[in-house]
Amino acid sequence: MSSAAPAPRVIAVVGPTTAGKSDLGVFLAQRLGGEVVNADSMQLYRGMDIGTAKLTLEERDGVPHHLLDIWDVTEAASVAEYQRLARAEIDRLLAAGRWPILVGGSGLYVRGAVDQLEFPGTAPAVRARLEEELELRGSGELHARLAVADPGAAQAILPSNGRRIVRALEVIEITGKPFTANLPGHESVYDTVQIGVDVARPELDERIATRVDRMWEAGLVDEVRALEAAGLREGRTASRALGYQQVLAALAGECTDDEARAETVRATKRFARRQDSWFRRDPRVHWLSGAVADRGELPAQALTLVERAVTA
């Protein structure tokens, strides 16, 4: 870096699961004098470590990480609450002359942290009616309705994520507009550089399968069993997390352990495609290759991108 160090800016490291975002975030924080702010919705939950690939203290290599382990698994996620917490961390770090390194693949959380994004209010009667329909008819039927009302929202939200489907339908009913129409243009509230880690689909699929195998070997089933005792099944958000949902089904006798593992791989591959599609729609993301062949060059390329002082 030059002798006149640039003023700290927000760096957002985004992309699909298993692309290598976490390690890149640690590298950039170390080189720039920064700290990581988590933007993975499931890493916000205490105890959900193995299934979310949360970095261990050793893997964080001395870099402070914020907004990890802040919610109990029984608590429903709130993007609006995350926005408040993330901006408080970002503002604190900038004021201290530190670089906030936002790392995660939860697209709406990233946008909530750095963009001019206001969330519509809630209508309790509408929400209660939709939740009752969810209970009676299941998330698949409501997702099909969402696909008609707002195809973009349906593509971004997993058919199994009943809570987010209900929220999208609620916003549509309250505002009279598609849920995605309530997302403004790509206007940041911070001076932000967004780095997308790009891995070709065949390699990404292979990484996902390998990671799921390692999660099982590392004790994911025991982790879910312990969280079940802490109320995981009652957690409307946490219980739907990839891997956790499938293991809960196996523990309930609804499928075998092998079937749960295979379904976790399939569901994670689908989710990775949704993540990739979400971030590809944002023209501000600068994509860098995270392929094995280019992995050694990725950190230096990312650092060069930041030092060029490009705006995103």
Side-chain angles (χ1 to χ4, degrees), residues 141-233:
E141 184 170 327
L142 266 65
H143 190 269
R145 187 194 308 174
L146 179 62
V148 173
D150 188 346
Q155 183 182 26
I157 299 173
L158 289 171
S160 61
N161 194 334
R163 187 192 60 82
R164 285 195 63 197
I165 295 167
V166 164
R167 175 57 177 160
L169 290 171
E170 178 193 19
V171 169
I172 292 169
E173 191 161 336
I174 292 171
T175 64
K177 299 184 294 184
F179 179 69
T180 47
N182 289 279
L183 296 178
H186 297 106
E187 298 177 10
S188 301
V189 296
Y190 298 103
D191 182 9
T192 306
V193 178
Q194 296 197 46
I195 301 171
V197 186
D198 185 24
V199 178
R201 186 163 296 175
E203 182 177 337
L204 195 69
D205 285 350
E206 186 176 332
R207 289 191 196 183
I208 288 169
T210 299
R211 174 179 283 185
V212 170
D213 284 343
R214 287 176 178 166
M215 286 175 174
W216 247 260
E217 292 163 7
L220 177 61
V221 174
D222 287 337
E223 178 174 278
V224 175
R225 189 177 284 113
L227 290 171
E228 183 182 21
L232 178 60
R233 285 192 186 275

Coordinates of all heavy atoms in Angstrom, one line a residue, residues 141-233:
E141 N -47.5 -24.0 -1.3 CA -48.6 -23.3 -1.9 C -48.5 -21.8 -1.8 O -48.8 -21.1 -2.8 CB -49.9 -23.8 -1.2 CG -51.2 -23.2 -1.9 CD -52.4 -23.9 -1.4 OE1 -52.4 -25.1 -1.0 OE2 -53.5 -23.2 -1.3
L142 N -48.0 -21.3 -0.7 CA -47.9 -19.8 -0.6 C -46.7 -19.3 -1.5 O -46.8 -18.2 -2.1 CB -47.6 -19.4 0.8 CG -48.8 -19.0 1.6 CD1 -49.8 -20.2 1.8 CD2 -48.4 -18.5 3.0
H143 N -45.7 -20.2 -1.7 CA -44.6 -19.8 -2.6 C -45.1 -19.7 -4.0 O -44.7 -18.8 -4.8 CB -43.5 -20.8 -2.5 CG -42.2 -20.3 -3.2 ND1 -41.9 -20.7 -4.5 CD2 -41.2 -19.6 -2.7 CE1 -40.8 -20.2 -4.8 NE2 -40.3 -19.5 -3.8
A144 N -46.0 -20.6 -4.4 CA -46.6 -20.6 -5.7 C -47.4 -19.3 -6.0 O -47.3 -18.7 -7.0 CB -47.4 -21.8 -6.0
R145 N -48.1 -18.9 -4.9 CA -48.8 -17.6 -5.0 C -47.9 -16.5 -5.2 O -48.1 -15.5 -5.9 CB -49.7 -17.5 -3.8 CG -50.6 -16.3 -3.8 CD -51.2 -15.9 -2.5 NE -51.9 -17.0 -1.8 CZ -52.3 -16.9 -0.6 NH1 -52.3 -15.8 0.1 NH2 -52.9 -18.0 0.0
L146 N -46.8 -16.5 -4.4 CA -45.8 -15.4 -4.5 C -45.2 -15.4 -5.9 O -44.9 -14.3 -6.4 CB -44.7 -15.6 -3.4 CG -43.6 -14.6 -3.4 CD1 -44.1 -13.2 -3.1 CD2 -42.5 -15.0 -2.4
A147 N -44.9 -16.6 -6.5 CA -44.4 -16.6 -7.8 C -45.2 -15.9 -8.9 O -44.7 -15.3 -9.8 CB -44.1 -18.0 -8.2
V148 N -46.5 -15.9 -8.7 CA -47.5 -15.2 -9.6 C -47.4 -13.7 -9.3 O -47.4 -12.9 -10.2 CB -48.9 -15.8 -9.4 CG1 -49.9 -14.9 -10.2 CG2 -49.0 -17.2 -9.8
A149 N -47.4 -13.3 -8.0 CA -47.5 -11.9 -7.6 C -46.2 -11.2 -7.8 O -46.2 -10.0 -8.2 CB -47.9 -11.8 -6.1
D150 N -45.1 -11.9 -7.6 CA -43.8 -11.3 -7.7 C -42.7 -12.3 -8.0 O -42.1 -12.9 -7.1 CB -43.4 -10.6 -6.3 CG -42.2 -9.8 -6.4 OD1 -41.4 -9.9 -7.4 OD2 -41.9 -9.0 -5.5
P151 N -42.5 -12.6 -9.3 CA -41.5 -13.7 -9.7 C -40.1 -13.5 -9.1 O -39.5 -14.4 -8.8 CB -41.6 -13.6 -11.2 CG -42.9 -13.0 -11.5 CD -43.2 -12.1 -10.4
G152 N -39.7 -12.2 -9.1 CA -38.4 -11.9 -8.6 C -38.2 -12.3 -7.1 O -37.2 -12.9 -6.7
A153 N -39.2 -12.0 -6.3 CA -39.2 -12.4 -4.9 C -39.2 -13.9 -4.7 O -38.5 -14.5 -3.9 CB -40.3 -11.7 -4.1
A154 N -40.0 -14.6 -5.5 CA -40.1 -16.0 -5.5 C -38.8 -16.7 -5.8 O -38.4 -17.7 -5.2 CB -41.2 -16.5 -6.4
Q155 N -38.1 -16.1 -6.7 CA -36.7 -16.6 -7.1 C -35.7 -16.5 -6.0 O -34.9 -17.3 -5.8 CB -36.2 -16.0 -8.4 CG -34.9 -16.5 -8.9 CD -34.4 -15.8 -10.1 OE1 -34.6 -14.6 -10.3 NE2 -33.6 -16.5 -10.9
A156 N -35.9 -15.4 -5.2 CA -34.9 -15.1 -4.2 C -35.2 -15.8 -2.9 O -34.3 -15.9 -2.1 CB -34.8 -13.6 -3.9
I157 N -36.4 -16.3 -2.7 CA -36.8 -16.9 -1.4 C -37.0 -18.4 -1.6 O -37.8 -18.8 -2.5 CB -38.1 -16.2 -0.9 CG1 -37.9 -14.7 -0.6 CG2 -38.6 -16.9 0.4 CD1 -39.1 -13.9 -0.3
L158 N -36.4 -19.2 -0.8 CA -36.6 -20.6 -0.9 C -38.0 -21.0 -0.6 O -38.7 -20.4 0.2 CB -35.7 -21.3 0.1 CG -34.2 -21.3 -0.1 CD1 -33.4 -21.8 1.1 CD2 -33.8 -22.1 -1.3
P159 N -38.5 -22.0 -1.4 CA -39.9 -22.4 -1.2 C -40.2 -23.0 0.2 O -41.3 -23.0 0.7 CB -40.1 -23.5 -2.2 CG -39.1 -23.2 -3.3 CD -37.9 -22.6 -2.6
S160 N -39.1 -23.4 0.9 CA -39.3 -23.9 2.3 C -39.3 -22.8 3.3 O -39.6 -23.1 4.5 CB -38.2 -24.9 2.6 OG -36.9 -24.3 2.5
N161 N -39.0 -21.6 3.0 CA -38.8 -20.5 3.9 C -40.2 -19.8 4.1 O -40.4 -18.7 3.6 CB -37.8 -19.5 3.5 CG -37.3 -18.5 4.6 OD1 -38.0 -18.3 5.5 ND2 -36.1 -18.1 4.5
G162 N -41.0 -20.4 4.9 CA -42.4 -19.9 5.1 C -42.4 -18.5 5.7 O -43.2 -17.7 5.3
R163 N -41.5 -18.2 6.6 CA -41.5 -16.9 7.3 C -41.3 -15.8 6.3 O -42.0 -14.8 6.3 CB -40.4 -16.9 8.4 CG -40.5 -15.6 9.3 CD -39.2 -15.5 10.1 NE -38.0 -15.5 9.3 CZ -37.6 -14.3 8.7 NH1 -38.3 -13.2 8.9 NH2 -36.5 -14.3 8.0
R164 N -40.3 -16.0 5.4 CA -40.0 -14.9 4.4 C -41.1 -14.9 3.4 O -41.3 -13.8 2.8 CB -38.6 -15.2 3.8 CG -37.4 -14.8 4.7 CD -36.1 -14.7 4.0 NE -36.2 -13.6 3.0 CZ -35.3 -13.5 2.0 NH1 -34.4 -14.4 1.8 NH2 -35.4 -12.5 1.1
I165 N -41.7 -16.0 3.0 CA -42.8 -16.0 2.0 C -43.9 -15.2 2.6 O -44.5 -14.3 1.9 CB -43.2 -17.4 1.7 CG1 -42.1 -18.1 1.0 CG2 -44.5 -17.4 0.8 CD1 -42.3 -19.6 0.8
V166 N -44.3 -15.4 3.9 CA -45.3 -14.7 4.5 C -45.0 -13.2 4.5 O -45.9 -12.4 4.2 CB -45.6 -15.2 5.9 CG1 -46.4 -14.2 6.8 CG2 -46.3 -16.6 5.9
R167 N -43.8 -12.8 4.9 CA -43.4 -11.4 4.9 C -43.6 -10.8 3.5 O -44.1 -9.7 3.4 CB -42.0 -11.3 5.4 CG -41.5 -9.8 5.4 CD -42.3 -8.9 6.2 NE -41.7 -7.6 6.2 CZ -42.4 -6.5 6.5 NH1 -43.7 -6.5 6.8 NH2 -41.8 -5.3 6.5
A168 N -43.1 -11.5 2.5 CA -43.2 -10.9 1.1 C -44.7 -10.7 0.7 O -45.0 -9.6 0.2 CB -42.5 -11.8 0.1
L169 N -45.5 -11.7 1.0 CA -46.9 -11.6 0.7 C -47.6 -10.4 1.5 O -48.5 -9.7 1.0 CB -47.7 -12.9 0.9 CG -47.3 -14.0 -0.1 CD1 -47.9 -15.3 0.4 CD2 -47.8 -13.7 -1.5
E170 N -47.2 -10.3 2.8 CA -47.7 -9.3 3.6 C -47.4 -7.9 3.0 O -48.2 -7.0 2.9 CB -47.1 -9.4 5.0 CG -47.6 -8.3 6.0 CD -46.8 -8.3 7.3 OE1 -45.6 -8.8 7.3 OE2 -47.2 -7.6 8.2
V171 N -46.1 -7.7 2.6 CA -45.7 -6.4 2.1 C -46.4 -6.1 0.8 O -46.9 -5.0 0.6 CB -44.2 -6.4 1.8 CG1 -43.7 -5.2 1.0 CG2 -43.4 -6.4 3.2
I172 N -46.6 -7.1 0.0 CA -47.4 -6.9 -1.3 C -48.8 -6.5 -1.0 O -49.3 -5.5 -1.6 CB -47.4 -8.2 -2.1 CG1 -46.0 -8.5 -2.6 CG2 -48.4 -8.1 -3.2 CD1 -45.9 -9.9 -3.2
E173 N -49.4 -7.1 0.0 CA -50.8 -6.7 0.4 C -50.9 -5.3 1.0 O -51.8 -4.5 0.7 CB -51.4 -7.8 1.3 CG -52.9 -7.6 1.5 CD -53.5 -8.9 2.1 OE1 -52.9 -10.0 1.9 OE2 -54.6 -8.8 2.7
I174 N -49.9 -5.0 1.8 CA -49.9 -3.7 2.5 C -49.6 -2.5 1.5 O -50.3 -1.5 1.5 CB -48.8 -3.6 3.6 CG1 -49.1 -4.6 4.8 CG2 -48.6 -2.2 4.1 CD1 -48.0 -4.7 5.8
T175 N -48.6 -2.7 0.6 CA -48.2 -1.6 -0.2 C -48.9 -1.6 -1.6 O -48.9 -0.6 -2.3 CB -46.7 -1.7 -0.5 OG1 -46.4 -2.9 -1.2 CG2 -45.9 -1.7 0.9
G176 N -49.5 -2.8 -2.0 CA -50.1 -2.8 -3.3 C -49.1 -3.0 -4.4 O -49.4 -2.8 -5.6
K177 N -47.8 -3.2 -4.0 CA -46.7 -3.3 -5.0 C -46.0 -4.6 -4.8 O -46.0 -5.2 -3.7 CB -45.7 -2.1 -4.9 CG -46.4 -0.8 -5.1 CD -45.3 0.3 -5.1 CE -44.7 0.4 -3.7 NZ -43.7 1.6 -3.6
P178 N -45.3 -5.1 -5.8 CA -44.4 -6.3 -5.6 C -43.4 -6.1 -4.5 O -43.0 -5.0 -4.2 CB -43.7 -6.5 -6.9 CG -44.6 -5.8 -7.9 CD -45.2 -4.7 -7.2
F179 N -43.1 -7.2 -3.8 CA -42.1 -7.1 -2.7 C -40.8 -6.5 -3.2 O -40.2 -5.6 -2.5 CB -41.9 -8.5 -2.1 CG -40.9 -8.5 -1.0 CD1 -41.2 -8.0 0.3 CD2 -39.7 -9.2 -1.1 CE1 -40.3 -8.0 1.3 CE2 -38.8 -9.2 -0.1 CZ -39.1 -8.6 1.1
T180 N -40.4 -6.9 -4.3 CA -39.1 -6.4 -4.9 C -39.2 -4.9 -5.3 O -38.2 -4.3 -5.3 CB -38.7 -7.3 -6.1 OG1 -39.8 -7.4 -7.0 CG2 -38.2 -8.6 -5.7
A181 N -40.4 -4.4 -5.5 CA -40.5 -3.0 -5.9 C -40.2 -2.1 -4.7 O -40.0 -0.9 -4.8 CB -41.9 -2.7 -6.4
N182 N -40.3 -2.7 -3.5 CA -40.0 -2.0 -2.3 C -38.5 -1.9 -2.0 O -38.0 -1.2 -1.1 CB -40.7 -2.6 -1.0 CG -42.2 -2.4 -1.1 OD1 -42.7 -1.4 -0.7 ND2 -42.9 -3.4 -1.5
L183 N -37.7 -2.6 -2.8 CA -36.2 -2.5 -2.8 C -35.9 -1.3 -3.7 O -36.2 -1.3 -4.9 CB -35.6 -3.8 -3.3 CG -35.8 -5.0 -2.4 CD1 -35.1 -6.2 -3.1 CD2 -35.3 -4.8 -1.0
P184 N -35.2 -0.3 -3.2 CA -34.9 0.9 -4.0 C -33.7 0.5 -5.0 O -33.2 -0.6 -5.0 CB -34.4 1.9 -2.9 CG -33.9 1.1 -1.8 CD -34.7 -0.2 -1.8
G185 N -33.4 1.6 -5.7 CA -32.2 1.4 -6.6 C -30.9 1.1 -5.8 O -30.9 1.2 -4.6
H186 N -29.9 0.9 -6.5 CA -28.6 0.5 -5.9 C -27.9 1.8 -5.4 O -27.0 2.2 -6.0 CB -27.8 -0.3 -6.8 CG -28.4 -1.6 -7.2 ND1 -28.9 -1.9 -8.4 CD2 -28.6 -2.8 -6.5 CE1 -29.4 -3.1 -8.5 NE2 -29.2 -3.7 -7.3
E187 N -28.4 2.3 -4.3 CA -27.8 3.5 -3.7 C -27.2 3.2 -2.3 O -28.0 2.9 -1.4 CB -28.8 4.6 -3.6 CG -29.4 5.0 -5.0 CD -30.5 6.1 -4.9 OE1 -30.7 6.6 -3.8 OE2 -31.1 6.3 -5.9
S188 N -25.9 3.4 -2.1 CA -25.3 3.1 -0.9 C -25.4 4.2 0.1 O -25.4 5.4 -0.3 CB -23.8 2.7 -1.1 OG -23.7 1.6 -1.9
V189 N -25.4 4.0 1.4 CA -25.3 5.0 2.4 C -23.9 5.2 2.9 O -23.5 6.1 3.6 CB -26.2 4.7 3.6 CG1 -27.7 4.7 3.2 CG2 -25.9 3.4 4.2
Y190 N -23.0 4.3 2.4 CA -21.6 4.3 2.8 C -20.8 4.3 1.5 O -21.2 3.8 0.4 CB -21.2 3.1 3.6 CG -21.8 3.0 5.0 CD1 -22.9 2.1 5.2 CD2 -21.4 3.8 6.0 CE1 -23.5 2.0 6.4 CE2 -22.1 3.8 7.3 CZ -23.1 2.8 7.5 OH -23.7 2.8 8.7
D191 N -19.5 4.8 1.6 CA -18.6 4.6 0.5 C -18.1 3.1 0.5 O -17.4 2.7 1.4 CB -17.4 5.5 0.7 CG -16.3 5.4 -0.4 OD1 -16.6 4.8 -1.4 OD2 -15.2 6.0 -0.2
T192 N -18.6 2.3 -0.4 CA -18.5 0.9 -0.3 C -17.9 0.3 -1.6 O -18.2 0.7 -2.7 CB -20.0 0.3 -0.1 OG1 -20.6 0.8 1.0 CG2 -19.9 -1.3 0.1
V193 N -17.1 -0.7 -1.4 CA -16.6 -1.5 -2.5 C -17.1 -2.9 -2.2 O -16.9 -3.5 -1.2 CB -15.0 -1.6 -2.5 CG1 -14.6 -2.5 -3.6 CG2 -14.4 -0.2 -2.7
Q194 N -17.8 -3.5 -3.2 CA -18.4 -4.8 -3.1 C -17.5 -5.8 -4.0 O -17.4 -5.5 -5.2 CB -19.8 -4.8 -3.6 CG -20.7 -4.0 -2.7 CD -22.2 -4.4 -2.9 OE1 -22.6 -5.5 -2.9 NE2 -23.0 -3.4 -3.0
I195 N -17.0 -6.8 -3.4 CA -16.2 -7.8 -4.0 C -17.0 -9.1 -4.1 O -17.4 -9.7 -3.0 CB -14.9 -8.0 -3.3 CG1 -14.1 -6.7 -3.2 CG2 -14.1 -9.1 -4.0 CD1 -12.9 -6.8 -2.4
G196 N -17.3 -9.6 -5.3 CA -18.0 -10.9 -5.4 C -17.0 -12.0 -5.7 O -16.1 -11.8 -6.5
V197 N -17.1 -13.1 -4.9 CA -16.2 -14.2 -5.1 C -16.9 -15.2 -6.1 O -17.9 -15.8 -5.7 CB -15.8 -14.9 -3.8 CG1 -14.7 -16.0 -4.1 CG2 -15.2 -13.8 -2.8
D198 N -16.3 -15.4 -7.2 CA -16.9 -16.2 -8.3 C -16.3 -17.5 -8.4 O -15.0 -17.6 -8.6 CB -16.7 -15.4 -9.6 CG -17.5 -16.0 -10.8 OD1 -18.4 -16.8 -10.6 OD2 -17.0 -15.8 -12.0
V199 N -17.1 -18.6 -8.4 CA -16.6 -19.9 -8.6 C -17.6 -20.6 -9.6 O -18.8 -20.5 -9.4 CB -16.6 -20.7 -7.3 CG1 -16.1 -22.2 -7.5 CG2 -15.7 -20.1 -6.3
A200 N -17.0 -21.2 -10.6 CA -17.8 -21.9 -11.6 C -18.7 -23.0 -11.0 O -18.3 -23.6 -10.0 CB -17.0 -22.5 -12.7
R201 N -19.9 -23.2 -11.5 CA -20.9 -24.0 -10.9 C -20.4 -25.5 -10.6 O -20.6 -26.0 -9.6 CB -22.1 -24.1 -11.8 CG -23.3 -24.8 -11.1 CD -24.6 -24.5 -11.8 NE -24.9 -23.1 -11.6 CZ -26.0 -22.5 -12.1 NH1 -26.8 -23.2 -12.9 NH2 -26.2 -21.2 -11.9
P202 N -19.7 -26.1 -11.6 CA -19.2 -27.5 -11.3 C -18.3 -27.6 -10.1 O -18.5 -28.4 -9.2 CB -18.5 -27.9 -12.6 CG -19.1 -27.1 -13.6 CD -19.4 -25.8 -13.0
E203 N -17.4 -26.6 -10.0 CA -16.5 -26.6 -8.8 C -17.2 -26.2 -7.5 O -17.0 -26.8 -6.5 CB -15.3 -25.6 -9.0 CG -14.3 -25.6 -7.9 CD -13.2 -24.7 -8.1 OE1 -12.9 -24.4 -9.3 OE2 -12.5 -24.3 -7.1
L204 N -18.2 -25.3 -7.6 CA -19.0 -24.9 -6.5 C -19.8 -26.1 -6.0 O -19.8 -26.3 -4.8 CB -19.9 -23.7 -6.8 CG -20.5 -23.0 -5.7 CD1 -19.4 -22.2 -4.9 CD2 -21.6 -22.0 -6.1
D205 N -20.4 -26.8 -6.9 CA -21.2 -28.0 -6.5 C -20.3 -29.0 -5.8 O -20.7 -29.7 -4.8 CB -21.8 -28.6 -7.7 CG -23.0 -27.9 -8.2 OD1 -23.5 -26.9 -7.5 OD2 -23.5 -28.2 -9.3
E206 N -19.1 -29.2 -6.3 CA -18.2 -30.2 -5.6 C -17.8 -29.7 -4.2 O -17.7 -30.5 -3.3 CB -16.9 -30.3 -6.5 CG -16.0 -31.4 -6.0 CD -14.8 -31.6 -7.0 OE1 -14.9 -31.3 -8.2 OE2 -13.7 -32.0 -6.5
R207 N -17.5 -28.4 -4.1 CA -17.2 -27.9 -2.8 C -18.4 -28.1 -1.8 O -18.1 -28.4 -0.6 CB -16.9 -26.4 -2.9 CG -15.6 -26.1 -3.6 CD -15.3 -24.6 -3.4 NE -14.2 -24.1 -4.3 CZ -13.7 -22.9 -4.3 NH1 -14.2 -22.0 -3.4 NH2 -12.8 -22.5 -5.1
I208 N -19.6 -27.8 -2.3 CA -20.7 -28.0 -1.4 C -20.9 -29.4 -0.9 O -21.1 -29.6 0.3 CB -22.0 -27.5 -2.1 CG1 -22.0 -26.0 -2.3 CG2 -23.3 -28.0 -1.4 CD1 -23.1 -25.5 -3.3
A209 N -20.7 -30.4 -1.8 CA -20.8 -31.8 -1.4 C -19.7 -32.1 -0.4 O -20.0 -32.8 0.6 CB -20.7 -32.7 -2.6
T210 N -18.5 -31.6 -0.6 CA -17.4 -31.9 0.3 C -17.7 -31.2 1.7 O -17.4 -31.8 2.7 CB -16.1 -31.3 -0.3 OG1 -15.8 -32.0 -1.5 CG2 -14.9 -31.6 0.7
R211 N -18.2 -30.0 1.7 CA -18.4 -29.3 2.9 C -19.5 -30.0 3.7 O -19.4 -30.2 5.0 CB -18.9 -27.9 2.7 CG -19.3 -27.2 4.0 CD -19.7 -25.7 3.8 NE -18.5 -24.9 3.6 CZ -18.6 -23.5 3.5 NH1 -19.8 -22.9 3.5 NH2 -17.5 -22.8 3.4
V212 N -20.6 -30.5 3.1 CA -21.6 -31.2 3.8 C -21.1 -32.5 4.4 O -21.4 -32.8 5.6 CB -22.8 -31.5 2.9 CG1 -23.8 -32.4 3.6 CG2 -23.5 -30.2 2.5
D213 N -20.3 -33.2 3.7 CA -19.7 -34.4 4.3 C -18.8 -34.1 5.5 O -18.9 -34.7 6.5 CB -18.8 -35.1 3.2 CG -19.6 -35.9 2.2 OD1 -20.8 -36.1 2.4 OD2 -19.0 -36.2 1.1
R214 N -18.1 -33.0 5.4 CA -17.2 -32.6 6.6 C -18.1 -32.1 7.7 O -17.7 -32.4 8.9 CB -16.3 -31.4 6.1 CG -15.2 -31.9 5.2 CD -14.3 -30.8 4.7 NE -13.2 -31.3 3.9 CZ -12.5 -30.5 3.1 NH1 -12.7 -29.2 3.1 NH2 -11.5 -31.0 2.4
M215 N -19.2 -31.5 7.5 CA -20.1 -31.1 8.6 C -20.6 -32.3 9.3 O -20.7 -32.3 10.5 CB -21.3 -30.3 8.0 CG -20.9 -28.8 7.6 SD -22.2 -28.0 6.8 CE -21.5 -26.3 6.6
W216 N -21.0 -33.3 8.6 CA -21.5 -34.5 9.2 C -20.4 -35.2 10.1 O -20.6 -35.6 11.2 CB -22.0 -35.5 8.2 CG -23.5 -35.7 8.3 CD1 -24.2 -36.7 8.9 CD2 -24.6 -34.8 7.8 NE1 -25.5 -36.6 8.8 CE2 -25.8 -35.4 8.1 CE3 -24.5 -33.6 7.1 CZ2 -27.0 -34.8 7.7 CZ3 -25.7 -33.0 6.7 CH2 -27.0 -33.6 7.1
E217 N -19.2 -35.2 9.5 CA -18.1 -35.8 10.2 C -17.7 -35.0 11.4 O -17.2 -35.5 12.4 CB -16.9 -35.9 9.3 CG -17.1 -36.9 8.1 CD -16.1 -36.7 7.0 OE1 -15.2 -35.9 7.1 OE2 -16.2 -37.4 5.9
A218 N -17.9 -33.7 11.4 CA -17.6 -32.8 12.5 C -18.6 -32.8 13.6 O -18.4 -32.2 14.7 CB -17.4 -31.4 12.0
G219 N -19.7 -33.5 13.4 CA -20.7 -33.6 14.4 C -22.0 -32.8 14.3 O -22.6 -32.4 15.3
L220 N -22.4 -32.5 13.1 CA -23.6 -31.7 12.8 C -24.8 -32.3 13.5 O -25.6 -31.6 14.1 CB -23.8 -31.5 11.4 CG -25.1 -30.7 11.0 CD1 -25.0 -29.3 11.6 CD2 -25.3 -30.6 9.5
V221 N -24.9 -33.6 13.4 CA -26.1 -34.2 14.0 C -26.2 -34.0 15.5 O -27.2 -33.7 16.1 CB -26.2 -35.7 13.7 CG1 -27.3 -36.4 14.4 CG2 -26.3 -36.0 12.2
D222 N -25.0 -34.1 16.2 CA -25.0 -33.9 17.6 C -25.3 -32.4 17.9 O -25.9 -32.1 18.9 CB -23.6 -34.3 18.2 CG -23.5 -35.8 18.3 OD1 -24.5 -36.5 18.3 OD2 -22.3 -36.2 18.3
E223 N -24.8 -31.5 17.1 CA -25.0 -30.1 17.3 C -26.5 -29.8 17.2 O -27.1 -29.0 18.0 CB -24.3 -29.3 16.2 CG -24.5 -27.8 16.3 CD -23.6 -26.9 15.4 OE1 -22.5 -26.7 15.7 OE2 -24.1 -26.6 14.3
V224 N -27.2 -30.4 16.2 CA -28.6 -30.2 16.0 C -29.4 -30.8 17.2 O -30.4 -30.2 17.7 CB -29.1 -30.7 14.7 CG1 -30.6 -30.6 14.6 CG2 -28.5 -30.0 13.5
R225 N -28.9 -31.9 17.6 CA -29.6 -32.6 18.8 C -29.6 -31.7 20.0 O -30.6 -31.5 20.7 CB -29.0 -33.9 19.0 CG -29.7 -34.8 20.1 CD -29.1 -36.2 20.2 NE -29.4 -37.1 19.1 CZ -28.5 -37.5 18.3 NH1 -27.2 -37.1 18.4 NH2 -28.8 -38.3 17.3
A226 N -28.4 -31.1 20.3 CA -28.3 -30.2 21.4 C -29.1 -28.9 21.2 O -29.8 -28.5 22.2 CB -26.8 -29.8 21.6
L227 N -29.2 -28.4 20.0 CA -30.0 -27.2 19.8 C -31.5 -27.5 19.8 O -32.3 -26.7 20.2 CB -29.6 -26.6 18.4 CG -28.2 -25.9 18.3 CD1 -27.9 -25.6 16.9 CD2 -28.2 -24.7 19.2
E228 N -31.8 -28.7 19.5 CA -33.2 -29.2 19.6 C -33.7 -29.1 21.0 O -34.8 -28.6 21.3 CB -33.4 -30.6 19.1 CG -34.8 -31.1 19.1 CD -34.9 -32.5 18.6 OE1 -33.9 -33.3 18.6 OE2 -36.1 -32.9 18.2
A229 N -32.8 -29.5 21.9 CA -33.1 -29.4 23.4 C -33.2 -28.0 23.8 O -33.9 -27.7 24.8 CB -32.0 -30.1 24.2
A230 N -32.6 -27.0 23.1 CA -32.7 -25.6 23.4 C -33.8 -24.9 22.7 O -33.9 -23.6 22.8 CB -31.3 -25.0 23.1
G231 N -34.6 -25.6 22.0 CA -35.8 -25.0 21.4 C -35.7 -24.8 19.9 O -36.5 -24.0 19.3
L232 N -34.7 -25.4 19.2 CA -34.5 -25.2 17.8 C -35.8 -25.4 17.0 O -36.1 -24.7 16.0 CB -33.4 -26.1 17.2 CG -33.1 -26.0 15.7 CD1 -32.7 -24.6 15.3 CD2 -32.0 -27.0 15.3
R233 N -36.6 -26.5 17.3 CA -37.8 -26.8 16.5 C -38.8 -25.6 16.5 O -39.5 -25.4 15.6 CB -38.4 -28.1 17.0 CG -37.7 -29.3 16.5 CD -38.5 -30.6 16.8 NE -37.8 -31.7 16.5 CZ -37.6 -32.3 15.3 NH1 -38.2 -31.7 14.3 NH2 -36.9 -33.4 15.1

